[in-house]
Amino acid sequence: AKHHPDGPKHILWVVAQNTPLNKENTGVSAAQVEQKRRRWLQRHDQDTAGISSLLPLYEGLRVRVTDKMNRRLGILKHCSGTVVGWELHPADRLMGRTAERMLQYHPSCIYVSFAGATWKLNDELGVGVYPLKAVTRTRVVNHKIEVKASRRGSQLLPDYACTDHMVQGMTLLAALVDCLGVHEYPALKGMLAAYVALSRVKSANGMRLIRAFAFALFRQGPPPGPHILMQMLR
């Protein structure tokens, strides 16, 4: 893959591989099993041990680690890095180079560079470059009849946005914030979430609102928990 100012020149799509473990409860025909596999690909990554169902792959892609990889090197959950290369399965190498294609197999390794790192694993890899290999996790996909499946893939996600919950405690240079739309009915938890998102930058010049938010969003009074606690302490 090559990266240039106008965007990625080549994009590879990596699909997680789901394998049913108790096929007697999964389906009778191969078509039924394939249909269930497609539904499993719609699961949220929080329900799949952080293994994303569909991952775009190109050089320069910003990614976020969804699970602890190496505590000694500081590669923990939510660490952000940049994809700098990968190793494809031999069958995918023979398919040739096109602008966009779906891989038949998961890459044996994805190389991610972590900014600010000072360690170096070996002479072949650069400073801060870590080889992330595919992992296999087993989970229950149907709790009623205890259907289990294994999923193989990478614990990576594109890192171009995050929730207000994840951004707590961060200090950002700039941010695009969505506080929901004008016609949304604001609840107290929405006000708290908006406060967290809007308070991450040091200056208003670094803040841009994606759309106008509801007039009543910040007119709901103080949060009852902290307000009552401060009254008692005073």
Side-chain angles (χ1 to χ4, degrees):
K2 297 298 181 182
H3 187 71
H4 57 90
D6 297 330
K9 188 175 182 180
H10 304 285
I11 298 181
L12 304 176
W13 290 97
V14 183
V15 183
Q17 301 168 350
N18 294 292
T19 304
L21 299 182
N22 41 352
K23 297 183 180 179
E24 66 276 3
N25 293 331
T26 305
V28 179
S29 66
Q32 289 177 315
V33 175
E34 181 60 27
Q35 186 178 17
K36 290 181 181 294
R37 281 199 180 110
R38 290 179 179 272
R39 288 206 301 267
W40 294 340
L41 289 175
Q42 299 175 15
R43 297 285 185 93
H44 195 281
D45 64 274
Q46 291 182 353
D47 190 35
T48 59
I51 301 176
S52 55
S53 297
L54 188 63
L55 177 69
L57 192 61
Y58 59 85
E59 189 176 340
L61 172 69
R62 286 184 55 188
V63 290
R64 182 173 69 246
V65 177
T66 61
D67 199 3
K68 178 181 65 177
M69 295 294 176
N70 192 310
R71 182 181 296 274
R72 181 176 62 85
L73 299 180
I75 305 176
L76 306 176
K77 188 175 182 179
H78 301 323
C79 281
S80 183
T82 304
V83 173
V84 294
W86 50 80
E87 293 181 7
L88 297 181
H89 188 277
D92 287 316
R93 297 175 191 170
L94 298 175
M95 293 180 63
R97 298 172 66 86
T98 57
E100 185 175 11
R101 63 187 172 99
M102 193 82 68
L103 297 180
Q104 296 182 4
Y105 301 91
H106 196 282
S108 58
C109 182
I110 299 176
Y111 296 100
V112 179
S113 175
F114 293 94
T118 57
W119 44 263
K120 186 176 182 181
L121 294 181
N122 54 51
D123 294 335
E124 296 180 359
L125 300 176
V127 176
V129 176
Y130 189 84
L132 270 71
K133 297 184 178 181
V135 298
T136 301
R137 297 288 184 267
T138 300
R139 70 195 196 285
V140 178
V141 294
N142 190 323
H143 291 276
K144 292 183 180 180
I145 56 177
E146 291 296 319
V147 175
K148 294 183 179 180
S150 67
R151 168 173 282 211
R152 176 177 168 80
S154 290
Q155 294 175 307
L156 291 174
L157 287 175
D159 188 26
Y160 291 98
C162 59
T163 63
D164 56 272
H165 177 75
M166 185 181 299
V167 83
Q168 292 185 80
M170 293 185 184
T171 300
L172 306 176
L173 295 177
L176 296 170
V177 179
D178 184 6
C179 299
L180 301 182
V182 174
H183 303 293
E184 298 283 346
Y185 182 78
L188 182 62
K189 64 178 182 179
M191 180 184 72
L192 298 177
Y195 169 77
V196 170
L198 294 172
S199 61
R200 295 307 91 200
V201 297
K202 294 183 176 181
S203 170
N205 293 329
M207 175 69 63
R208 293 293 183 270
L209 292 174
I210 293 179
R211 51 180 172 168
F213 53 81
F215 177 75
L217 180 62
F218 292 105
R219 298 175 65 88
Q220 303 179 62
H227 181 66
I228 294 174
L229 176 61
M230 293 305 298
Q231 280 187 328
M232 183 188 70
L233 294 177
R234 289 173 181 142

